[in-house]
Amino acid sequence: MAILLNNHGYDNASWQAALAELLPEQDVFLFADMTPARRQQVEYALVWNHPPGDLAEYPNLKAIHLLGAGTEAVDADPATPDVPVLRLVDPQVLEDMARYALYWVLHFHRRFGVYAQQQSQAHWERHNLCASEEFKVLVLGLGMVGKTVARRLAANGYKVLGWDRHQAELAGVESYCGDDMPLAQADMVINCLPLTPETRHMIDAELLGQLPEGAVLVNISRGEVLVDSDVIDALSHGPLSRAVLDAFSTEPLPADSPLWRHPDIHITPHMSGATYARSAAKLVVDNIHRIEQGEQPFPLHKPGRFTNNNKV
Ligand code: GLV
């Protein structure tokens, strides 16, 4: 058996080292070094943003393990073979994303940006603020990311409203679903929605127009869930006071994007949840062992067709 590794150019070396330690018997082939003979040997594909069509070219593939949580790239590739597709959802990464959200909630609730500006002018002025339990944060999407974010904010004393397409109960969080999205109450909105045909461009002028004056938008999911030009309009002429963007329709964000230079936008380079190769590789390898032993791997995105060699 061999493994195909394509971490989309990010940190292949740490993944190779972690896999060599956890699966010392296995060959790990980088996508850049793939040959027709190696394609025959590959049983597990560990990939992120892999070129469309390529995964159909491994005749002995047993499973595809994504090296991230988002599934939109394999979902959009009609040539994705009918084998189990697994997501990588590392609890450490979820917690990092939740801390990223908490950082920005603290930043805006406690007005740290305002105080940084005041310091640059040697200006002493203390601003009134509401108690944290009155500061309302709306988390859009209550999947694994959204749940972790909502719990973390609630545990830090904030008033958390959670919205999902379907009803989701979460202790300490006021839950909404379907058409009932409490935008008018939200001091901040944290977008944690996955990118699907339903969520593409969901955060548009109409949705943003329902927010109260001064609201802040944070996007830690996918750029395509937002209409960028509507976000810019809502900052200039609508209720938004600031936007924090960590994910973009095109990454890296092109240098000529107007988002870079907007004074009310904070940009980070898709780092809200960094993947740690050591802990993530352990999750992937545990799943490979599960598949080899005929057990159910998780989290399973698509069960796929089971091959003779694959008892899942
Ligand atoms: C990163 O964006 C992921 O989906 O894991």
Side-chain angles (χ1 to χ4, degrees):
M1 137 167 138
I3 288 174
L4 155 68
L5 175 64
N6 177 15
N7 196 23
H8 198 55
Y10 294 116
D11 199 15
N12 278 327
S14 310
W15 273 92
Q16 281 174 298
L19 290 170
E21 201 174 296
L22 294 165
L23 287 176
E25 310 286 296
Q26 307 308 328
D27 285 323
V28 177
F29 301 136
L30 288 181
F31 182 50
D33 303 330
M34 196 46 69
T35 62
R38 288 178 167 185
R39 282 180 185 273
Q40 302 288 324
Q41 297 173 47
V42 168
E43 292 185 349
Y44 293 93
L46 277 43
V47 293
W48 187 241
N49 287 341
H50 199 64
D54 182 75
L55 289 171
E57 307 298 321
Y58 301 84
N60 296 309
L61 196 64
K62 287 184 181 172
I64 298 168
H65 209 309
L66 302 176
L67 297 182
T71 61
E72 66 279 358
V74 277
D75 290 345
D77 182 359
T80 299
D82 196 14
V83 295
V85 176
L86 292 142
R87 300 164 67 206
L88 177 60
V89 184
D90 185 343
Q92 282 204 44
V93 176
L94 299 181
E95 288 300 335
D96 268 2
M97 295 179 82
R99 290 185 196 105
Y100 178 99
L102 177 62
Y103 171 92
W104 288 109
V105 168
L106 288 166
H107 178 93
F108 291 109
H109 172 231
R110 303 297 303 274
R111 309 218 184 171
F112 289 122
V114 174
Y115 291 122
Q117 265 172 9
Q118 288 185 194
Q119 181 175 354
S120 71
Q121 293 149 14
H123 174 68
W124 179 282
E125 181 185 351
R126 201 154 64 190
H127 298 275
N128 289 335
L129 46 101
C130 66
S132 54
E133 62 268 24
E134 288 164 25
F135 191 81
K136 299 194 184 73
V137 186
L138 170 60
V139 176
L140 296 182
L142 294 175
M144 286 191 259
V145 173
K147 276 195 177 119
T148 312
V149 167
R151 282 198 193 104
R152 163 77 55 169
L153 298 177
N156 278 271
Y158 285 98
K159 171 81 183 170
V160 183
L161 317 173
W163 178 90
D164 204 278
R165 264 187 327 142
H166 307 293
Q167 186 66 39
E169 291 304 324
L170 205 53
V173 174
E174 216 171 273
S175 293
Y176 295 81
C177 69
D179 292 337
D180 191 11
M181 192 187 279
L183 290 158
Q185 299 184 46
D187 295 303
M188 282 183 73
V189 177
I190 316 251
N191 175 38
C192 302
L193 288 164
L195 178 62
T196 66
E198 291 77 36
T199 64
R200 184 178 295 275
H201 295 160
M202 185 172 138
I203 300 189
D204 60 2
E206 199 204 324
L207 185 148
L208 293 167
Q210 296 173 53
L211 290 169
E213 201 55 42
V216 175
L217 171 70
V218 178
N219 184 22
I220 55 172
S221 76
R222 288 292 183 267
E224 292 95 323
V225 178
L226 275 50
V227 179
D228 289 349
S229 54
D230 288 0
V231 172
I232 290 177
D233 274 359
L235 286 164
S236 310
H237 314 292
L240 271 192
S241 65
R242 290 281 192 280
V244 176
L245 307 178
D246 185 54
F248 304 88
S249 313
T250 307
E251 293 184 3
L253 183 62
D256 61 358
S257 165
L259 299 173
W260 277 118
R261 274 164 288 279
H262 197 291
D264 299 325
I265 295 181
H266 298 265
I267 287 181
T268 53
H270 204 137
M271 49 59 78
S272 63
T275 300
Y276 302 101
R278 273 187 85 79
S279 67
K282 170 90 172 55
L283 298 176
V284 170
V285 169
D286 284 350
N287 270 336
I288 291 179
H289 289 322
R290 283 187 193 101
I291 292 173
E292 290 296 316
Q293 285 156 20
E295 292 166 17
Q296 183 88 355
F298 58 85
L300 194 55
H301 172 54
K302 278 205 305 204
R305 174 180 52 79
F306 307 131
T307 66
N308 286 343
N309 299 333
N310 178 340
K311 293 175 271 172
V312 179

